[in-house]
C-alpha cells in the first residue's frame, strides 16, 4: 500500500523561486542602474517596496546603483522659499538661490530618506552626490530653443564621469545612492543635472547591464496624450526617429535610454514605479512591463 502524498502547501512558492533561477543566473554579478523618479515616490508603501526590491537585487547577487530624482519635492521647497519654478526644454531654470534649494532637497532630504529606507535591511546603502570624488563633472548647459542658445542658470551638461567611488562601494558590498548634482571643473561651483540624464551617463560609464527608469506612467506611450498604448520594445534607431516627437519629462528619459544602449548598456527600460515590486517583475520574470530599448544589433533578439 502506497503512502498518501503529503499536501505541501508551500509548493507554489518553491515553483515561483525556481522560475526565477534562469534570471538569477543571467544577472548574477551584473550592475543595474535604477533611477527612481520624484513622481514615482508618491507614497510610503511604494517607497518601502522600492527599497525591498533593491535589497533583494543586492542579495540575489546583482549590483544595484540607485540614482534618484526629486522634481516635485524641489518644486515644493522652492515654493516655500517663494521661488517660482520655471522649466525650459524640460529642465529647471536654476538660479544661484534655487541651486541651494535643489542641493538641500536632493542631498539632504530625498537621498537621506532613500538611504534610510534601504538601511532598514542592513548596513548597505551609502549616499553620495555627483560632487563626491569627482563622480559627475559638468559644464554650464545652454540648450537650444527656437534656434537660439539660452541661459538656464546652474544646469549642468555632463562632461565626465569618474566611477571610482561607486565601484569601490560596490566592491565593498554597498548600495550607492546618487543625487544628480555635478561639480564644475572651471568655477568650483555645482550644477543641477536632470536625474534621468545622470542615471544614463552613470549606467554607460559603469558598463551596466541594465538601466531601469521608474516613473509615474506605464512606459512610453505611442500617441501620448491621446492614447495609453505602451510601446513595449524599441531599437536604438527606432527610438532616435521618435525623439523629436516626444515632450516634457519623456525627453530626458528616452534620450538617456538611447545614450545608454549606444554606449554599451544591454537594455534600457522605462517602467511604472507606481506598481509595487515592478523592479522584481522586470528583472526576474518574463512578464516585463513598460518600454524596453535595445541596441540595434539586438534586433530580433527577444532576450
Ligand atoms: N510619450 C509619452 N509617454 C508617456 N509619458 C509621457 C510621454 N510624453 C510625455 N510624457 C509625460 O512624462 C511624464 C514622466 O516624466 P516626469 O514627470 O519627468 O517623471 P519623473 O519624475 O519620473 O522623472 C509622464 O507623467 C507624462 O506626463
Ligand atoms: C536640471 C533639472 O531639471 N534637474 C531636475 C533634478 C531632479 C530630477 O530630475 O527629478 P525627477 O527625476 O523627479 O524629474 C530638477 O531640478 O527638477
Amino acid at each position: 500500500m502506497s503512502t498518501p502524498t503529503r499536501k505541501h502547501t508551500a509548493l507554489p512558492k518553491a515553483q515561483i523561486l525556481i522560475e526565477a533561477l534562469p534570471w538569477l543566473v543571467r544577472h548574477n554579478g551584473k550592475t543595474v542602474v535604477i533611477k527612481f523618479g520624484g513622481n514615482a515616490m508618491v507614497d510610503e508603501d511604494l517607497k518601502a517596496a522600492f527599497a525591498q526590491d533593491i535589497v533583494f537585487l543586492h542579495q540575489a547577487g546583482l549590483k544595484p546603483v540607485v540614482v534618484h530624482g526629486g522634481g516635485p519635492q524641489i518644486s515644493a521647497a522652492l515654493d516655500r522659499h517663494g521661488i517660482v519654478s520655471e522649466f525650459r526644454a524640460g529642465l529647471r531654470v536654476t538660479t544661484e538661490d534655487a541651486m541651494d534649494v535643489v542641493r538641500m532637497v536632493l542631498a539632504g532630504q530625498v537621498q537621506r530618506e532613500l538611504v534610510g529606507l534601504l538601511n532598514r535591511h542592513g548596513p548597505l546603502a551609502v549616499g553620495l552626490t555627483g560632487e563626491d570624488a569627482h563622480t559627475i563633472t559638468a559644464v554650464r548647459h545652454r540648450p537650444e530653443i527656437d534656434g537660439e542658445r539660452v541661459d538656464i542658470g546652474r544646469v549642468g551638461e555632463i562632461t565626465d564621469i569618474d566611477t571610482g567611488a561607486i565601484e569601490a562601494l560596490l566592491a565593498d558590498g554597498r548600495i550607492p545612492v546618487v543625487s544628480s548634482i555635478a561639480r564644475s571643473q572651471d568655477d568650483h561651483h555645482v550644477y543641477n543635472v536632470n536625474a534621468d540624464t545622470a542615471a544614463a551617463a552613470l549606467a554607460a560609464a559603469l558598463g551596466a547591464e541594465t538601466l531601469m527608469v521608474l516613473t509615474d506612467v506605464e512606459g512610453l506611450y505611442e500617441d501620448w496624450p491621446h492614447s495609453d498604448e505602451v510601446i513595449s520594445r524599441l531599437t536604438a534607431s527606432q527610438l532616435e526617429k521618435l525623439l523629436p516627437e516626444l515632450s516634457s519629462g519623456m525627453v530626458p528619459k528616452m534620450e538617456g535610454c538611447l545614450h545608454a544602449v549606444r554606449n554599451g548598456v544591454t537594455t534600457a527600460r522605462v517602467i511604472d514605479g507606481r506598481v509595487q515590486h515592478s523592479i522584481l517583475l522586470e528583472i526576474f520574470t518574463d512578464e516585463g512591463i513598460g518600454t524596453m530599448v535595445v541596441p540595434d544589433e539586438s534586433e530580433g533578439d527577444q532576450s
Side-chain angles (χ1 to χ4, degrees), residues 73-81 83 94-109 181:
Q73 294 80 351
I74 295 169
S75 296
L78 287 173
D79 216 32
R80 287 196 296 274
H81 284 79
I83 303 173
T94 309
T95 60
E96 297 291 334
D97 286 348
M99 187 64 228
D100 288 342
V101 176
V102 168
R103 197 185 197 194
M104 190 170 70
V105 172
L106 292 181
Q109 183 189 320
I181 301 164

PDB file of all heavy atoms in Angstrom, residues 73-81 83 94-109 181:
ATOM      1  N   GLN A  73       9.518  67.369  -5.282  1.00  0.00           N
ATOM      2  CA  GLN A  73       9.974  67.763  -3.944  1.00  0.00           C
ATOM      3  C   GLN A  73      10.752  69.091  -4.014  1.00  0.00           C
ATOM      4  O   GLN A  73      10.630  69.939  -3.134  1.00  0.00           O
ATOM      5  CB  GLN A  73      10.866  66.653  -3.364  1.00  0.00           C
ATOM      6  CG  GLN A  73      10.157  65.329  -3.080  1.00  0.00           C
ATOM      7  CD  GLN A  73       9.932  64.426  -4.293  1.00  0.00           C
ATOM      8  OE1 GLN A  73      10.159  64.814  -5.435  1.00  0.00           O
ATOM      9  NE2 GLN A  73       9.458  63.217  -4.054  1.00  0.00           N
ATOM     10  N   ILE A  74      11.534  69.266  -5.106  1.00  0.00           N
ATOM     11  CA  ILE A  74      12.270  70.529  -5.283  1.00  0.00           C
ATOM     12  C   ILE A  74      11.272  71.671  -5.526  1.00  0.00           C
ATOM     13  O   ILE A  74      11.383  72.751  -4.923  1.00  0.00           O
ATOM     14  CB  ILE A  74      13.259  70.437  -6.470  1.00  0.00           C
ATOM     15  CG1 ILE A  74      14.352  69.404  -6.190  1.00  0.00           C
ATOM     16  CG2 ILE A  74      13.892  71.797  -6.770  1.00  0.00           C
ATOM     17  CD1 ILE A  74      15.213  69.051  -7.408  1.00  0.00           C
ATOM     18  N   SER A  75      10.287  71.413  -6.381  1.00  0.00           N
ATOM     19  CA  SER A  75       9.288  72.458  -6.679  1.00  0.00           C
ATOM     20  C   SER A  75       8.568  72.897  -5.409  1.00  0.00           C
ATOM     21  O   SER A  75       8.345  74.108  -5.190  1.00  0.00           O
ATOM     22  CB  SER A  75       8.270  71.956  -7.708  1.00  0.00           C
ATOM     23  OG  SER A  75       8.916  71.696  -8.932  1.00  0.00           O
ATOM     24  N   ALA A  76       8.218  71.920  -4.560  1.00  0.00           N
ATOM     25  CA  ALA A  76       7.511  72.261  -3.312  1.00  0.00           C
ATOM     26  C   ALA A  76       8.411  73.108  -2.406  1.00  0.00           C
ATOM     27  O   ALA A  76       7.959  74.098  -1.811  1.00  0.00           O
ATOM     28  CB  ALA A  76       7.085  70.980  -2.591  1.00  0.00           C
ATOM     29  N   ALA A  77       9.682  72.756  -2.319  1.00  0.00           N
ATOM     30  CA  ALA A  77      10.602  73.509  -1.455  1.00  0.00           C
ATOM     31  C   ALA A  77      10.836  74.919  -2.001  1.00  0.00           C
ATOM     32  O   ALA A  77      10.882  75.895  -1.251  1.00  0.00           O
ATOM     33  CB  ALA A  77      11.920  72.754  -1.318  1.00  0.00           C
ATOM     34  N   LEU A  78      10.979  75.018  -3.341  1.00  0.00           N
ATOM     35  CA  LEU A  78      11.178  76.346  -3.948  1.00  0.00           C
ATOM     36  C   LEU A  78       9.967  77.227  -3.666  1.00  0.00           C
ATOM     37  O   LEU A  78      10.102  78.413  -3.350  1.00  0.00           O
ATOM     38  CB  LEU A  78      11.400  76.212  -5.458  1.00  0.00           C
ATOM     39  CG  LEU A  78      12.769  75.652  -5.890  1.00  0.00           C
ATOM     40  CD1 LEU A  78      12.795  75.412  -7.394  1.00  0.00           C
ATOM     41  CD2 LEU A  78      13.904  76.605  -5.492  1.00  0.00           C
ATOM     42  N   ASP A  79       8.810  76.597  -3.742  1.00  0.00           N
ATOM     43  CA  ASP A  79       7.556  77.296  -3.466  1.00  0.00           C
ATOM     44  C   ASP A  79       7.576  77.870  -2.045  1.00  0.00           C
ATOM     45  O   ASP A  79       7.233  79.041  -1.831  1.00  0.00           O
ATOM     46  CB  ASP A  79       6.431  76.249  -3.584  1.00  0.00           C
ATOM     47  CG  ASP A  79       5.199  76.842  -4.180  1.00  0.00           C
ATOM     48  OD1 ASP A  79       5.351  77.755  -5.015  1.00  0.00           O
ATOM     49  OD2 ASP A  79       4.085  76.399  -3.799  1.00  0.00           O
ATOM     50  N   ARG A  80       8.016  77.050  -1.115  1.00  0.00           N
ATOM     51  CA  ARG A  80       8.084  77.503   0.291  1.00  0.00           C
ATOM     52  C   ARG A  80       9.070  78.661   0.457  1.00  0.00           C
ATOM     53  O   ARG A  80       8.921  79.497   1.327  1.00  0.00           O
ATOM     54  CB  ARG A  80       8.491  76.335   1.207  1.00  0.00           C
ATOM     55  CG  ARG A  80       7.380  75.302   1.409  1.00  0.00           C
ATOM     56  CD  ARG A  80       7.687  74.392   2.605  1.00  0.00           C
ATOM     57  NE  ARG A  80       8.875  73.587   2.401  1.00  0.00           N
ATOM     58  CZ  ARG A  80       8.880  72.402   1.777  1.00  0.00           C
ATOM     59  NH1 ARG A  80       7.754  71.914   1.285  1.00  0.00           N
ATOM     60  NH2 ARG A  80      10.005  71.724   1.635  1.00  0.00           N
ATOM     61  N   HIS A  81      10.102  78.680  -0.418  1.00  0.00           N
ATOM     62  CA  HIS A  81      11.079  79.766  -0.357  1.00  0.00           C
ATOM     63  C   HIS A  81      10.658  80.959  -1.226  1.00  0.00           C
ATOM     64  O   HIS A  81      11.420  81.910  -1.396  1.00  0.00           O
ATOM     65  CB  HIS A  81      12.459  79.290  -0.838  1.00  0.00           C
ATOM     66  CG  HIS A  81      13.175  78.454   0.174  1.00  0.00           C
ATOM     67  ND1 HIS A  81      12.895  77.120   0.384  1.00  0.00           N
ATOM     68  CD2 HIS A  81      14.165  78.768   1.046  1.00  0.00           C
ATOM     69  CE1 HIS A  81      13.692  76.651   1.330  1.00  0.00           C
ATOM     70  NE2 HIS A  81      14.468  77.621   1.750  1.00  0.00           N
ATOM     71  N   ILE A  83      10.297  80.967  -4.434  1.00  0.00           N
ATOM     72  CA  ILE A  83      10.985  80.976  -5.740  1.00  0.00           C
ATOM     73  C   ILE A  83      10.097  80.241  -6.747  1.00  0.00           C
ATOM     74  O   ILE A  83       9.664  79.107  -6.495  1.00  0.00           O
ATOM     75  CB  ILE A  83      12.374  80.287  -5.662  1.00  0.00           C
ATOM     76  CG1 ILE A  83      13.249  80.965  -4.593  1.00  0.00           C
ATOM     77  CG2 ILE A  83      13.066  80.283  -7.018  1.00  0.00           C
ATOM     78  CD1 ILE A  83      14.586  80.266  -4.319  1.00  0.00           C
ATOM     79  N   THR A  94      17.636  77.253 -13.122  1.00  0.00           N
ATOM     80  CA  THR A  94      18.186  77.145 -11.770  1.00  0.00           C
ATOM     81  C   THR A  94      19.077  78.345 -11.451  1.00  0.00           C
ATOM     82  O   THR A  94      20.237  78.404 -11.872  1.00  0.00           O
ATOM     83  CB  THR A  94      18.977  75.819 -11.621  1.00  0.00           C
ATOM     84  OG1 THR A  94      18.158  74.733 -12.072  1.00  0.00           O
ATOM     85  CG2 THR A  94      19.372  75.571 -10.186  1.00  0.00           C
ATOM     86  N   THR A  95      18.502  79.304 -10.703  1.00  0.00           N
ATOM     87  CA  THR A  95      19.296  80.459 -10.263  1.00  0.00           C
ATOM     88  C   THR A  95      20.225  79.999  -9.128  1.00  0.00           C
ATOM     89  O   THR A  95      20.088  78.882  -8.621  1.00  0.00           O
ATOM     90  CB  THR A  95      18.372  81.566  -9.724  1.00  0.00           C
ATOM     91  OG1 THR A  95      17.640  80.992  -8.608  1.00  0.00           O
ATOM     92  CG2 THR A  95      17.385  82.059 -10.771  1.00  0.00           C
ATOM     93  N   GLU A  96      21.125  80.889  -8.712  1.00  0.00           N
ATOM     94  CA  GLU A  96      22.032  80.539  -7.603  1.00  0.00           C
ATOM     95  C   GLU A  96      21.223  80.170  -6.353  1.00  0.00           C
ATOM     96  O   GLU A  96      21.532  79.181  -5.685  1.00  0.00           O
ATOM     97  CB  GLU A  96      22.966  81.722  -7.267  1.00  0.00           C
ATOM     98  CG  GLU A  96      23.908  82.131  -8.389  1.00  0.00           C
ATOM     99  CD  GLU A  96      24.995  81.097  -8.686  1.00  0.00           C
ATOM    100  OE1 GLU A  96      25.344  80.320  -7.775  1.00  0.00           O
ATOM    101  OE2 GLU A  96      25.483  81.053  -9.833  1.00  0.00           O
ATOM    102  N   ASP A  97      20.178  80.970  -6.059  1.00  0.00           N
ATOM    103  CA  ASP A  97      19.358  80.681  -4.871  1.00  0.00           C
ATOM    104  C   ASP A  97      18.630  79.350  -5.023  1.00  0.00           C
ATOM    105  O   ASP A  97      18.527  78.561  -4.082  1.00  0.00           O
ATOM    106  CB  ASP A  97      18.316  81.792  -4.652  1.00  0.00           C
ATOM    107  CG  ASP A  97      18.970  83.058  -4.119  1.00  0.00           C
ATOM    108  OD1 ASP A  97      20.155  82.975  -3.727  1.00  0.00           O
ATOM    109  OD2 ASP A  97      18.288  84.107  -4.119  1.00  0.00           O
ATOM    110  N   ALA A  98      18.109  79.116  -6.237  1.00  0.00           N
ATOM    111  CA  ALA A  98      17.389  77.858  -6.477  1.00  0.00           C
ATOM    112  C   ALA A  98      18.348  76.677  -6.318  1.00  0.00           C
ATOM    113  O   ALA A  98      17.963  75.622  -5.797  1.00  0.00           O
ATOM    114  CB  ALA A  98      16.758  77.860  -7.863  1.00  0.00           C
ATOM    115  N   MET A  99      19.603  76.879  -6.758  1.00  0.00           N
ATOM    116  CA  MET A  99      20.584  75.776  -6.681  1.00  0.00           C
ATOM    117  C   MET A  99      20.799  75.336  -5.233  1.00  0.00           C
ATOM    118  O   MET A  99      20.924  74.143  -4.948  1.00  0.00           O
ATOM    119  CB  MET A  99      21.909  76.214  -7.324  1.00  0.00           C
ATOM    120  CG  MET A  99      22.938  75.112  -7.448  1.00  0.00           C
ATOM    121  SD  MET A  99      22.415  73.781  -8.548  1.00  0.00           S
ATOM    122  CE  MET A  99      22.772  72.326  -7.586  1.00  0.00           C
ATOM    123  N   ASP A 100      20.826  76.313  -4.319  1.00  0.00           N
ATOM    124  CA  ASP A 100      20.988  75.952  -2.896  1.00  0.00           C
ATOM    125  C   ASP A 100      19.840  75.053  -2.449  1.00  0.00           C
ATOM    126  O   ASP A 100      20.032  74.097  -1.709  1.00  0.00           O
ATOM    127  CB  ASP A 100      20.997  77.224  -2.020  1.00  0.00           C
ATOM    128  CG  ASP A 100      22.281  78.024  -2.198  1.00  0.00           C
ATOM    129  OD1 ASP A 100      23.270  77.440  -2.701  1.00  0.00           O
ATOM    130  OD2 ASP A 100      22.278  79.218  -1.846  1.00  0.00           O
ATOM    131  N   VAL A 101      18.617  75.383  -2.915  1.00  0.00           N
ATOM    132  CA  VAL A 101      17.439  74.601  -2.523  1.00  0.00           C
ATOM    133  C   VAL A 101      17.490  73.214  -3.173  1.00  0.00           C
ATOM    134  O   VAL A 101      17.221  72.195  -2.526  1.00  0.00           O
ATOM    135  CB  VAL A 101      16.131  75.358  -2.903  1.00  0.00           C
ATOM    136  CG1 VAL A 101      14.904  74.521  -2.595  1.00  0.00           C
ATOM    137  CG2 VAL A 101      16.069  76.705  -2.185  1.00  0.00           C
ATOM    138  N   VAL A 102      17.869  73.165  -4.464  1.00  0.00           N
ATOM    139  CA  VAL A 102      17.959  71.883  -5.185  1.00  0.00           C
ATOM    140  C   VAL A 102      18.908  70.941  -4.441  1.00  0.00           C
ATOM    141  O   VAL A 102      18.593  69.778  -4.179  1.00  0.00           O
ATOM    142  CB  VAL A 102      18.475  72.110  -6.639  1.00  0.00           C
ATOM    143  CG1 VAL A 102      18.852  70.793  -7.304  1.00  0.00           C
ATOM    144  CG2 VAL A 102      17.429  72.849  -7.474  1.00  0.00           C
ATOM    145  N   ARG A 103      20.062  71.491  -4.067  1.00  0.00           N
ATOM    146  CA  ARG A 103      21.079  70.667  -3.397  1.00  0.00           C
ATOM    147  C   ARG A 103      20.593  70.200  -2.023  1.00  0.00           C
ATOM    148  O   ARG A 103      20.775  69.051  -1.635  1.00  0.00           O
ATOM    149  CB  ARG A 103      22.332  71.525  -3.248  1.00  0.00           C
ATOM    150  CG  ARG A 103      23.601  70.752  -2.966  1.00  0.00           C
ATOM    151  CD  ARG A 103      24.624  71.781  -2.754  1.00  0.00           C
ATOM    152  NE  ARG A 103      25.994  71.365  -2.839  1.00  0.00           N
ATOM    153  CZ  ARG A 103      26.982  72.122  -2.412  1.00  0.00           C
ATOM    154  NH1 ARG A 103      26.734  73.322  -1.918  1.00  0.00           N
ATOM    155  NH2 ARG A 103      28.227  71.701  -2.498  1.00  0.00           N
ATOM    156  N   MET A 104      19.916  71.114  -1.331  1.00  0.00           N
ATOM    157  CA  MET A 104      19.404  70.788   0.007  1.00  0.00           C
ATOM    158  C   MET A 104      18.341  69.681  -0.081  1.00  0.00           C
ATOM    159  O   MET A 104      18.355  68.730   0.695  1.00  0.00           O
ATOM    160  CB  MET A 104      18.795  72.059   0.604  1.00  0.00           C
ATOM    161  CG  MET A 104      18.420  71.984   2.048  1.00  0.00           C
ATOM    162  SD  MET A 104      18.004  73.643   2.612  1.00  0.00           S
ATOM    163  CE  MET A 104      16.468  73.938   1.752  1.00  0.00           C
ATOM    164  N   VAL A 105      17.459  69.794  -1.072  1.00  0.00           N
ATOM    165  CA  VAL A 105      16.368  68.819  -1.171  1.00  0.00           C
ATOM    166  C   VAL A 105      16.896  67.463  -1.653  1.00  0.00           C
ATOM    167  O   VAL A 105      16.573  66.418  -1.074  1.00  0.00           O
ATOM    168  CB  VAL A 105      15.251  69.333  -2.125  1.00  0.00           C
ATOM    169  CG1 VAL A 105      14.220  68.248  -2.392  1.00  0.00           C
ATOM    170  CG2 VAL A 105      14.591  70.567  -1.543  1.00  0.00           C
ATOM    171  N   LEU A 106      17.726  67.467  -2.717  1.00  0.00           N
ATOM    172  CA  LEU A 106      18.193  66.183  -3.257  1.00  0.00           C
ATOM    173  C   LEU A 106      19.120  65.478  -2.274  1.00  0.00           C
ATOM    174  O   LEU A 106      18.901  64.315  -1.924  1.00  0.00           O
ATOM    175  CB  LEU A 106      18.889  66.387  -4.613  1.00  0.00           C
ATOM    176  CG  LEU A 106      17.995  66.819  -5.770  1.00  0.00           C
ATOM    177  CD1 LEU A 106      18.818  66.951  -7.048  1.00  0.00           C
ATOM    178  CD2 LEU A 106      16.848  65.835  -5.998  1.00  0.00           C
ATOM    179  N   ALA A 107      20.167  66.188  -1.833  1.00  0.00           N
ATOM    180  CA  ALA A 107      21.178  65.527  -0.998  1.00  0.00           C
ATOM    181  C   ALA A 107      20.740  65.418   0.462  1.00  0.00           C
ATOM    182  O   ALA A 107      21.070  64.439   1.129  1.00  0.00           O
ATOM    183  CB  ALA A 107      22.497  66.280  -1.095  1.00  0.00           C
ATOM    184  N   GLY A 108      19.981  66.426   0.929  1.00  0.00           N
ATOM    185  CA  GLY A 108      19.661  66.471   2.363  1.00  0.00           C
ATOM    186  C   GLY A 108      18.332  65.842   2.718  1.00  0.00           C
ATOM    187  O   GLY A 108      18.084  65.520   3.884  1.00  0.00           O
ATOM    188  N   GLN A 109      17.472  65.664   1.723  1.00  0.00           N
ATOM    189  CA  GLN A 109      16.132  65.167   2.052  1.00  0.00           C
ATOM    190  C   GLN A 109      15.834  63.859   1.316  1.00  0.00           C
ATOM    191  O   GLN A 109      15.726  62.803   1.937  1.00  0.00           O
ATOM    192  CB  GLN A 109      15.121  66.259   1.676  1.00  0.00           C
ATOM    193  CG  GLN A 109      13.685  65.958   2.000  1.00  0.00           C
ATOM    194  CD  GLN A 109      12.765  67.018   1.388  1.00  0.00           C
ATOM    195  OE1 GLN A 109      13.069  68.211   1.380  1.00  0.00           O
ATOM    196  NE2 GLN A 109      11.646  66.575   0.838  1.00  0.00           N
ATOM    197  N   ILE A 181      23.649  65.826  -8.744  1.00  0.00           N
ATOM    198  CA  ILE A 181      24.301  67.138  -8.672  1.00  0.00           C
ATOM    199  C   ILE A 181      25.725  66.935  -9.166  1.00  0.00           C
ATOM    200  O   ILE A 181      26.376  65.953  -8.792  1.00  0.00           O
ATOM    201  CB  ILE A 181      24.321  67.670  -7.225  1.00  0.00           C
ATOM    202  CG1 ILE A 181      22.892  67.792  -6.692  1.00  0.00           C
ATOM    203  CG2 ILE A 181      25.036  69.017  -7.146  1.00  0.00           C
ATOM    204  CD1 ILE A 181      22.814  67.936  -5.198  1.00  0.00           C
TER     205      ILE A 181
END
